[in-house]
Amino acid sequence: MKNPSLALARTLSHLTSLKPLPTAPRVDDDGDSLPSDLTTTETATTSPLLADDDGYLLPKSPTTSSPTKKATQLLSRKRQQLRIRWPYKCSYHVKPIGSDDLGHLKLFARPTAAPFACNSLTMTPFQSSGPLVGSDNSGLRPNTPLVPQSTTPFSSYGPVVGSESSGYVRPPPMAPQTNVPQASSFRPAPPARFNDPSVPPPPTSYAPTPAGPFPTPQFPSNQPPPSRPVIGSRPPFQPPAAQVPPPQLPLHPQQQIPLVPMGSPPQNMNYVPGTGRTNIPQPSSDSSFPALRPNSQPSFPGYVRQQSSADSPAPPVQSPFLSKQGSAPFQTTPPSFATHQAGYAASPPVAAPMGLQTRDRMQHSTLGPPAGSLQGLVEDFNSLSIGSSPGSIEPGVDLNALPRPLDGDMEPKLFNEMYPSNCSSRFLRLTTSGIPSSQSLASRWHLPLGAVVCPLAEAPDGDEVPVINFSNSGIVRCRRCRTYVNPYVTFTDAGRKWRCNMCSLLNDVPGEYFAHLDSTGKRVDLDQRPELTRGSVEFVAPTEYMVRPPMPPLYFFLIDVSVSAVRSGMIEVVAKTIRSCLDQLPGFPRTQIGFATYDSTIHFYNLKSSLTQPQMMVVSDLDDIFVPLPDDLLVNLSESRSVVEAFLDSLPSMFQDNLNIESAFGPALKASLLLMRQLGGKLLIFQNTLPSLGIGRLKLRGDDLRVYGTDKEHVLRLPEDPFYKQMAAEFTKFQIGVNLYAFSDKYTDIASLGALAKYTGGQVNFYPNFQSSIHGEKLRHELARDLTRETAWEAVLRIRVGKGVRFTSYHGNFMLRSTDLIALPAVDCDKAFAMQFSLEEALLTTQTVYFQVALLYTASCGERRIRVLTAAAPVVPDLGEMYRHADTGAIVTLLSRLAIEKTLSSKLEDARSSLQLRIVKALKEYRNLHSVQHRLGGRIIYPESLKFLLLYGLALTKSTTLRGGYADVTLDERCAAGFTMMVLPVKNLLKLLYPSLIRVDEHLLKSSGHDDLTSIEKRLPLTAASLDSRGLYLCDDGFRFILWFGRVLSPDIAMNLLGPDCAAELSKVILGEHGNEMSRKLMRMLNKLRESDSSYYQLCQLVRQGEQPREGVLFLSNLVEDPIGGTNGYVEWVLQIHRQVQQNP
Amino acid sequence: MSFDLIFWVLCFFFDLALLSSNFYQLVILSDLEADYLNPFESSSRINFLIVPEFIVHGLLCAIFLLTWHWLLFLITLPLACYSAMLFVNKRHLIDVTEVFRALSGEKKFRLIKLGFYLFLLFIIIFRLILSAFNSLTSDEHYVDLF
């Protein structure tokens, strides 16, 4: 064995393979637990505490023969046809001399006789074959292209002095705090202090008093937070002003705009004059208007009732209402029904039949002013009148009054405020943070009940997740349920025991972890224990959590070099991008890299560091694929840097004359698996044509119009050949994550190819009709991000939840390794996973339900870590509370994933209607909740927290995946969008569903020099009515920018922005910077927008008003509120939902 | 040894094979559910058995037909047709990537099959004993009722 790390891995795997696999009793199912087929070598037979860790999967038995031997045998046995191909097609076939043990070496040496004549026409990117012999022989020298320091990770688990193993290179964001050997730096102090490790903390910080100079969290970690705080009954400790978000206030994550939707006590004070009236619905005022008959057919369907903004010029009574509508932009609309205003003022909004009314009725608060007690039973909900205006009979909805998420995603503030130790909502979002107390209650909540987890979400500066090393005590976990220690555990018995918050088991505190309790029952070292104060921490995992040493990050590139790939310029962009990213690949200096290309044959590249030029090896036997060289195809990047660079430089020119149209994709995949199975890693596939050769070849089954609408429709969106699913499963098994980049202008069956990414935790990037001149920039940025973002390797994720609740289904790109363990060969910050839970017991007895996400992974630096995210949510006994705690973003994410999964088993139409049905059911339940107390008349009511649900539901049915049928979206695009939407975190998904539309020409004309994003980002409703043909608009859905030029836009602007191209057809124009202020300003603005959302690159596309059909496809399809092509507009959608809600069951 | 006895012994072993195969698959599935087995292992083990099981079942069905055991043929026919349908639609194998989603359905399917083969086994044992009895007392066919 040449290589120590390889040898170790093999030994380990050998040991593992000896264990009786299926029957080994699992001691516990812990979290990051060991998949049953793999047992840790050391721990399997020892105490249960040790045995539970997890896993990482070893290749089952790569033990029998070393790859070297195997390949040699293969070679000699089969007398493979092996070609050494020189650039420019001067390759020829060589018969191996099989009898020799070094046969394969000679084989590569053969081409010394290569016809140089054909080589001479151009410069040769590869070295001439002369030196080949020598270099091949040296291929057997014991160089260690694999991680030379692969054993170092273990050193950190030894008894490291201090609480931190400072010997580790940590990822840059963590560096400031983690390298400080003093535990005190973990104190939950303000970030400023956190970031300054060089300043030793004052000695007082060690004083074991919680009342030290450092702020402690609001809820002491060892006391359970007050269970189920009823919002309404909380003492009004917040000034009302704090609850009134000014309408244009930019939503800042840190900003506390809590409780907005919930009627909260402080307002009782403002309410005093009007309380008597507000909660008594006045039937008289209802009757003063024509009967509301939403079911009657509109005679003027287009009629839109103007918002009379009943609340704006109102007496003091209504000021709270006004302020409550903070996020609703429509209150600024001029009151057009002035004559009615008096009436509205006299009869409070309850009774007003038109317009949007936010009824904020507080729950009676005993602490509130006496007037509050008059309010009695109260709920808060929004309503939208489906009424008719005087003189007309058709039902109408005020278009302007409809709620729109123009401020972007609202993160659930309330959730984190009640439980300050919860992890941030960017990591974990529950669809409702009020957990139903009983099964019957849960069954009345028709929306999904679950969570969206984005375990590696990018943290803003100063809020990084602290890394903790329990170097000698081991990670503290519950004995029974394997919960990690977290802020919600309670310490008792003078600190000797701790009670698990999930299963209430009393555990012993390990000796090294012991600390005394102070008079309030808190641990005295609380401020030095981030795991006891923060909901998101990372533990350094000791050796029990690994079955093999952490592998180095491996990037393997599988590049299609057939003629279409060459023509589109993809190869060049890819090669250049990879080359430019070599410095930033994570995991230096251990990073491994490898390349293979394929057309009708598969080409491997020997990148051994001793070579000066890479060598190409061609395998043309596709039926029995093998790897021509056991080592040196995957090399250590830092050692072989110059060879890799030489390869990437020559790659584009190497194939520029290639005329091969075939694609041996399946065999190439198998070869990649053979190569990567030792190490795992990331496989990046650049695929340009439909796989046509060898195993896994696909038919042009195409997009058949006749299939749509039949029972066979969904089959189009499923993988055609089970080969791809099997390969995906194999890849996951060997810890290989696949990212697919597809470029074709023709049908490439993304549905089949995407399965590779779907089950390996990867992603699909689809560039239809790729042209490097147009899409090159997008590919460059997205590939660069893929290569350079912090990635977690060999990961498994499990979410634990308290007693009585169980996670039942998981949705996203991953493969389930056991019923509740998500296997993720490679995962990064742009991936989110959704899951649904259900109640196991009829009645929950606890007051709070805890959720704990544990992601066990190998960081790029080679350290095994466990990221633990903990959150608590109150159990609520009634449906109203559940609605009040609902989180639209998480609900929409789950709904969209469910809908996409539905399209894989039924028609698009069915997926849309089941989505609609779900929304209708939810709103109907909500209506039933309130229809007893209130006269609802013809109004559609919905909870404040779900006010955007209707719109997002509509946008979802119009999204690329669910929209229309055959003609609306090509099959490949639909599938690619589906794969993408299955991984998107909440924020990105919401932006994709409801893109932001902003008017830019006014901003560009303004002479003010500063480019403040907030000043321009006034989002407009996505309807054609927002567009002015004199304007220039930017539509940003997070994936692309569309710049819309109004028909009568001032020619100056167009001239300035486009230069001489302004008269040309815009589809061919690429927006670039021209030498004038306006153009620069626009580019600055676009770049700023791109920086704010860097997970995808937004390519700017230009479209002119009236430029059909391009405008329709590109731009108008984003205007989700408009009725386009037979779909519902927002108004019709609301009316339709309302009708269905009103229908009796 | 009469032909009849050989026939029933053959049926007995066929059915026993089917029964044990189903039982084994069921055990694997519950192991998978309890996390004693990983999906790769369990689905490859089950998939290895599925086609042989279909073939044995088809054989059983065919020999019932060829030997004019109409009742037993009609009893085994629906399952044979269903299996053939699964095979034609390529849905007979367990999909390793989605195995957990299909787990409860697959378990139920195998449980029903297990019951079915058990029932069949009782009939076959009864007939086996009868024919054994008949062949031993070959001169007097007392109980040749069936």
Side-chain angles (χ1 to χ4, degrees):
Chain A
M1 294 288 172
K2 292 182 275 237
N3 182 325
S5 75
L6 206 59
L8 185 52
R10 282 179 192 148
T11 322
L12 284 175
S13 58
H14 186 65
L15 282 174
T16 346
S17 68
L18 292 178
K19 304 253 179 227
L21 288 180
T23 49
R26 300 250 343 215
V27 187
D28 67 332
D29 67 335
D30 116 53
D32 325 296
S33 57
L34 211 75
S36 51
D37 56 333
L38 323 160
T39 22
T40 46
T41 47
E42 297 104 322
T43 61
T45 53
T46 52
S47 77
L49 263 177
L50 287 177
D52 61 337
D53 36 65
D54 189 83
Y56 190 141
L57 326 171
L58 267 188
K60 238 185 358 180
S61 56
T63 57
T64 49
S65 63
S66 80
T68 321
K69 248 186 209 158
K70 203 165 182 180
T72 318
Q73 286 163 356
L74 260 174
L75 276 165
S76 53
R77 177 171 56 81
K78 294 171 35 200
R79 302 183 65 82
Q80 268 305 338
Q81 278 196 327
L82 185 75
R83 280 188 294 156
I84 305 237
R85 191 161 101 173
W86 305 108
Y88 314 121
K89 306 290 178 202
C90 55
S91 61
Y92 70 107
H93 294 260
V94 188
K95 292 275 183 188
I97 305 173
S99 61
D100 194 337
D101 214 5
L102 293 177
H104 66 290
L105 293 184
K106 297 214 165 154
L107 224 144
F108 300 130
R110 294 299 280 187
T112 35
F116 286 109
C118 72
N119 225 350
S120 60
L121 56 154
T122 40
M123 59 111 184
T124 60
F126 289 119
Q127 67 180 54
S128 76
S129 51
L132 256 181
V133 187
S135 58
D136 270 322
N137 278 334
S138 67
L140 282 186
R141 88 204 137 85
N143 75 336
T144 57
L146 300 179
V147 218
Q149 68 279 51
S150 67
T151 51
T152 43
F154 291 118
S155 66
S156 72
Y157 307 118
V160 178
V161 182
S163 62
E164 280 291 323
S165 63
S166 55
Y168 270 89
V169 183
R170 293 173 192 281
M174 307 291 188
Q177 69 257 38
T178 53
N179 283 333
V180 191
Q182 298 193 333
S184 60
S185 68
F186 286 130
R187 194 181 323 111
R193 226 175 270 250
F194 231 85
N195 282 340
D196 192 6
S198 59
V199 181
T204 50
S205 68
Y206 288 113
T209 161
F214 301 101
T216 46
Q218 229 176 336
F219 286 109
S221 68
N222 48 359
Q223 286 181 348
S227 56
R228 201 180 76 73
V230 177
I231 316 306
S233 64
R234 255 203 280 179
F237 54 82
Q238 286 176 321
Q243 310 194 352
V244 179
Q248 274 84 21
L249 203 61
L251 190 65
H252 189 274
Q254 242 66 4
Q255 201 169 356
Q256 304 287 314
I257 319 177
L259 303 173
V260 177
M262 316 300 163
S264 44
Q267 303 228 339
N268 286 346
M269 314 232 245
N270 297 0
Y271 238 76
V272 178
T275 40
R277 281 180 289 175
T278 41
N279 51 7
I280 302 165
Q282 298 199 348
S284 61
S285 58
D286 260 349
S287 62
S288 70
F289 287 92
L292 310 167
R293 294 189 302 180
N295 282 327
S296 62
Q297 284 304 308
S299 52
F300 309 111
Y303 183 83
V304 169
R305 176 181 268 281
Q306 277 296 310
Q307 155 75 352
S308 72
S309 85
D311 22 24
S312 47
V317 187
Q318 302 200 334
S319 62
F321 295 123
L322 178 62
S323 56
K324 276 302 211 178
Q325 295 187 346
S327 59
F330 31 84
Q331 62 181 345
T332 55
T333 50
S336 57
F337 279 28
T339 50
H340 288 298
Q341 278 174 10
Y344 292 141
S347 62
V350 180
M354 57 178 65
L356 172 95
Q357 296 142 5
T358 318
R359 291 210 290 180
D360 292 309
R361 315 261 204 94
M362 287 76 225
Q363 216 149 8
H364 163 56
S365 157
T366 49
L367 294 174
S373 63
L374 291 177
Q375 296 193 341
L377 40 123
V378 205
E379 263 307 333
D380 49 343
F381 55 81
N382 276 4
S383 72
L384 199 60
S385 81
I386 312 287
S388 50
S389 68
S392 65
I393 52 163
E394 77 279 12
V397 185
D398 187 344
L399 189 62
N400 294 320
L402 293 167
R404 294 183 178 94
L406 299 181
D407 291 337
D409 176 29
M410 301 276 210
E411 290 192 358
K413 291 281 181 290
L414 186 78
F415 180 41
N416 289 346
E417 204 171 75
M418 281 188 305
Y419 298 99
S421 298
N422 273 2
C423 62
S424 154
S425 59
R426 64 176 175 269
F427 295 123
L428 173 71
R429 285 174 76 160
L430 297 170
T431 54
T432 170
S433 33
I435 308 298
S437 63
S438 65
Q439 275 178 348
S440 60
L441 182 58
S443 66
R444 288 170 65 203
W445 169 262
H446 295 283
L447 295 166
L449 197 57
V452 180
V453 177
C454 184
L456 291 169
E458 280 177 307
D461 288 342
D463 198 17
E464 286 91 0
V465 178
V467 181
I468 299 155
N469 195 347
F470 288 108
S471 46
N472 35 17
S473 63
I475 295 175
V476 182
R477 302 176 67 178
C478 174
R479 252 184 304 138
R480 183 164 64 195
C481 64
R482 311 304 301 149
T483 300
Y484 295 85
V485 69
N486 63 64
Y488 299 105
V489 304
T490 48
F491 286 85
T492 55
D493 201 7
R496 283 191 295 272
K497 306 232 177 214
W498 62 275
R499 188 177 292 282
C500 170
N501 53 332
M502 299 257 184
C503 67
S504 322
L505 183 75
L506 215 52
N507 291 276
D508 292 328
V509 175
E512 297 87 346
Y513 198 66
F514 175 79
H516 289 285
L517 303 186
D518 67 4
S519 53
T520 57
K522 291 181 211 152
R523 277 171 69 107
V524 292
D525 63 347
L526 199 62
D527 54 354
Q528 297 161 27
R529 296 280 186 193
E531 73 272 17
L532 296 180
T533 51
R534 302 187 46 158
S536 46
V537 289
E538 266 187 15
F539 297 121
V540 174
T543 38
E544 294 102 272
Y545 291 82
M546 46 186 106
V547 283
R548 60 174 184 180
M551 292 291 127
L554 162 63
Y555 289 89
F556 191 76
F557 299 89
L558 189 58
I559 304 169
D560 184 356
V561 291
S562 63
V563 60
S564 56
V566 175
R567 291 215 178 120
S568 67
M570 174 272 278
I571 298 173
E572 189 171 2
V573 178
V574 168
K576 283 196 174 144
T577 311
I578 297 172
R579 194 186 191 289
S580 68
C581 291
L582 287 181
D583 277 327
Q584 299 146 36
L585 287 183
F588 176 84
R590 308 197 316 144
T591 317
Q592 303 262 322
I593 199 166
F595 298 89
T597 54
Y598 61 96
D599 42 27
S600 61
T601 53
I602 303 165
H603 327 129
F604 297 93
Y605 299 90
N606 182 356
L607 303 171
K608 195 165 38 169
S609 57
S610 59
L611 299 173
T612 53
Q613 287 283 309
Q615 294 172 307
M616 178 196 258
M617 281 153 278
V618 177
V619 174
S620 53
D621 181 1
L622 302 178
D623 295 328
D624 194 0
I625 202 73
F626 72 107
V627 176
L629 199 63
D631 302 310
D632 299 332
L633 295 180
L634 297 177
V635 293
N636 184 302
L637 177 60
S638 48
E639 286 175 11
S640 298
R641 179 66 187 260
S642 59
V643 193
V644 170
E645 282 180 356
F647 167 72
L648 288 171
D649 288 339
S650 56
L651 180 64
S653 57
M654 238 188 303
F655 292 101
Q656 67 188 2
D657 299 325
N658 194 356
L659 292 175
N660 203 323
I661 54 163
E662 302 288 352
S663 163
F665 180 63
L669 268 186
K670 290 203 114 172
S672 317
L673 179 66
L674 288 177
L675 264 175
M676 299 176 73
R677 57 193 295 165
Q678 302 278 341
L679 291 177
K682 201 162 182 171
L683 172 63
L684 293 101
I685 299 172
F686 300 87
Q687 167 71 5
N688 222 311
T689 43
L690 194 67
S692 59
L693 283 180
I695 191 166
R697 79 181 79 87
L698 295 169
K699 291 196 297 274
L700 252 178
R701 56 176 170 168
D703 210 359
D704 190 353
L705 173 59
R706 285 163 301 175
V707 176
Y708 278 83
T710 68
D711 290 339
K712 292 240 160 73
E713 182 191 318
H714 69 274
V715 179
L716 287 177
R717 295 185 281 272
L718 286 174
E720 180 194 354
D721 189 338
F723 168 76
Y724 289 98
K725 276 189 161 186
Q726 284 158 11
M727 283 307 290
E730 289 284 303
F731 279 132
T732 308
K733 191 172 167 185
F734 293 109
Q735 301 289 357
I736 301 163
V738 178
N739 280 6
L740 179 73
Y741 292 80
F743 302 93
S744 179
D745 50 339
K746 299 192 212 60
Y747 178 69
T748 33
D749 206 346
I750 300 291
S752 295
L753 303 183
L756 291 170
K758 178 178 165 83
Y759 295 108
T760 57
Q763 65 185 50
V764 176
N765 289 36
F766 183 45
Y767 308 85
N769 203 3
F770 180 84
Q771 292 298 324
S772 62
S773 55
I774 300 169
H775 307 98
E777 198 63 17
K778 186 172 170 66
L779 172 63
R780 192 168 301 134
H781 279 84
E782 292 180 358
L783 179 58
R785 178 162 174 94
D786 190 0
L787 293 178
T788 56
R789 62 188 164 194
E790 183 53 44
T791 304
W793 309 87
E794 309 173 300
V796 282
L797 183 143
R798 171 167 283 162
I799 181 164
R800 290 191 173 78
V801 66
K803 254 193 301 191
V805 183
R806 197 166 66 89
F807 276 91
T808 49
S809 66
Y810 299 84
H811 312 275
N813 285 8
F814 54 77
M815 191 170 140
L816 277 181
R817 160 156 282 284
S818 74
T819 38
D820 59 347
L821 187 67
I822 291 176
L824 298 164
V827 60
D828 50 65
C829 54
D830 297 327
K831 308 280 189 305
F833 309 96
M835 42 208 81
Q836 284 184 288
F837 61 82
S838 61
L839 301 191
E840 273 186 315
E841 291 161 16
L843 217 57
L844 283 187
T845 48
T846 50
Q847 301 284 305
T848 313
V849 170
Y850 299 94
F851 296 85
Q852 188 171 68
V853 180
L855 177 82
L856 174 67
Y857 70 96
T858 304
S860 295
C861 62
E863 198 169 54
R864 198 84 173 135
R865 291 199 187 146
I866 307 165
R867 177 168 287 210
V868 177
L869 310 167
T870 314
V875 174
V876 298
D878 68 294
L879 200 59
E881 286 283 327
M882 285 182 71
Y883 278 109
R884 203 171 300 144
H885 290 66
D887 174 5
T888 312
I891 289 174
V892 170
T893 307
L894 254 166
L895 280 178
S896 68
R897 293 186 183 207
L898 291 172
I900 291 167
E901 280 176 6
K902 180 108 183 160
T903 63
L904 301 181
S905 61
S906 51
K907 287 178 275 190
L908 291 174
E909 186 62 50
D910 293 349
R912 287 193 292 263
S913 60
S914 75
L915 171 72
Q916 184 174 353
L917 188 68
R918 217 154 175 179
I919 295 174
V920 167
K921 271 186 182 166
L923 291 183
K924 186 181 274 183
E925 199 69 48
Y926 191 72
R927 188 183 176 85
N928 292 343
L929 204 62
H930 295 284
S931 59
V932 183
Q933 298 169 23
H934 307 285
R935 272 187 63 108
L936 298 172
R939 281 172 296 127
I940 180 166
I941 68 165
Y942 46 85
E944 167 74 26
S945 58
L946 295 180
K947 62 183 172 190
F948 303 134
L949 181 66
L950 275 177
L951 181 54
Y952 279 127
L954 174 67
L956 191 55
T957 62
K958 294 184 171 188
S959 65
T960 318
T961 31
L962 294 179
R963 181 195 305 162
Y966 169 75
D968 298 86
V969 189
T970 64
L971 184 57
D972 273 347
E973 274 180 71
R974 196 186 289 280
C975 291
F979 286 123
T980 302
M981 282 169 75
M982 288 298 277
V983 293
L984 280 188
V986 175
K987 259 194 164 34
N988 301 49
L989 181 76
L990 294 188
K991 192 162 182 199
L992 175 66
L993 290 180
Y994 197 85
S996 66
L997 178 68
I998 48 181
R999 181 165 185 169
V1000 289
D1001 56 323
E1002 288 164 352
H1003 171 72
L1004 293 179
L1005 288 173
K1006 253 187 292 176
S1007 54
S1008 65
H1010 64 95
D1011 304 301
D1012 193 6
L1013 258 191
T1014 52
S1015 69
I1016 52 162
E1017 203 163 17
K1018 182 178 173 294
R1019 293 176 64 172
L1020 300 167
L1022 283 175
T1023 164
S1026 310
L1027 300 173
D1028 180 352
S1029 57
R1030 282 164 302 181
L1032 177 68
Y1033 291 84
L1034 178 71
C1035 178
D1036 168 20
D1037 66 0
F1039 287 79
R1040 59 184 178 188
F1041 291 141
I1042 298 160
L1043 210 50
W1044 184 84
F1045 290 78
R1047 192 178 283 121
V1048 284
L1049 174 70
S1050 136
D1052 288 350
I1053 297 180
M1055 191 61 138
N1056 280 336
L1057 295 181
L1058 303 176
D1061 295 332
C1062 65
E1065 196 189 335
L1066 286 185
S1067 63
K1068 301 218 168 60
V1069 177
I1070 298 157
L1071 192 69
E1073 196 168 306
H1074 296 276
N1076 57 64
E1077 180 54 29
M1078 194 181 282
S1079 172
R1080 276 195 292 272
K1081 202 167 181 179
L1082 178 70
M1083 296 311 276
R1084 270 203 305 274
M1085 191 182 99
L1086 295 184
N1087 284 336
K1088 272 216 167 123
L1089 286 172
R1090 280 176 189 138
E1091 277 165 26
S1092 68
D1093 178 14
S1094 55
S1095 50
Y1096 290 88
Y1097 182 80
Q1098 295 89 355
L1099 193 71
C1100 195
Q1101 289 171 298
L1102 315 175
V1103 69
R1104 194 170 275 141
Q1105 186 180 12
E1107 184 187 348
Q1108 289 298 352
R1110 215 166 143 259
E1111 186 193 22
V1113 175
L1114 265 183
F1115 185 69
L1116 298 183
S1117 60
N1118 281 326
L1119 300 179
V1120 294
E1121 291 182 24
D1122 285 343
I1124 305 164
T1127 57
N1128 283 326
Y1130 195 6
V1131 172
E1132 292 86 47
W1133 169 259
V1134 168
L1135 288 176
Q1136 193 182 359
I1137 297 268
H1138 178 61
R1139 265 197 298 277
Q1140 290 174 342
V1141 165
Q1142 279 201 321
Q1143 277 162 8
N1144 288 324
Chain B
M1 281 300 256
S2 70
F3 168 76
D4 205 33
L5 185 60
I6 296 170
F7 169 76
W8 286 115
V9 168
L10 200 65
C11 288
F12 174 75
F13 282 113
F14 275 9
D15 194 64
L16 209 61
L18 291 169
L19 197 68
S20 47
S21 151
N22 261 292
F23 185 72
Y24 178 66
Q25 292 176 24
L26 208 56
V27 168
I28 287 180
L29 286 178
S30 21
D31 272 3
L32 176 65
E33 201 170 21
D35 202 13
Y36 292 129
L37 261 184
N38 67 4
F40 313 107
E41 186 75 11
S42 48
S43 52
S44 71
R45 287 189 196 185
I46 291 178
N47 288 345
F48 177 72
L49 282 175
I50 284 180
V51 174
E53 188 190 309
F54 284 2
I55 292 171
V56 171
H57 184 86
L59 273 180
L60 194 65
C61 192
I63 58 172
F64 281 142
L65 176 65
L66 295 177
T67 53
W68 297 96
H69 289 87
W70 282 106
L71 187 67
L72 287 170
F73 170 69
L74 289 178
I75 288 175
T76 51
L77 186 64
L79 185 57
C81 291
Y82 184 69
S83 304
M85 189 268 285
L86 286 183
F87 188 79
V88 169
N89 292 344
K90 293 183 184 162
R91 288 197 288 122
H92 58 293
L93 294 181
I94 292 211
D95 179 2
V96 61
T97 51
E98 298 284 354
V99 57
F100 288 103
R101 207 164 282 190
L103 192 61
S104 60
E106 295 283 348
K107 271 181 87 170
K108 202 176 286 173
F109 177 54
R110 281 172 176 76
L111 209 60
I112 291 171
K113 278 211 293 192
L114 196 70
F116 172 76
Y117 288 129
L118 211 58
F119 166 71
L120 203 62
L121 191 72
F122 283 132
I123 297 181
I124 290 173
I125 288 178
F126 185 69
R127 297 300 300 266
L128 180 66
I129 293 170
L130 266 188
S131 64
F133 186 78
N134 285 346
S135 66
L136 289 178
T137 60
S138 50
D139 39 2
E140 295 169 51
H141 290 246
Y142 291 117
V143 275
D144 199 1
L145 303 171
F146 291 86

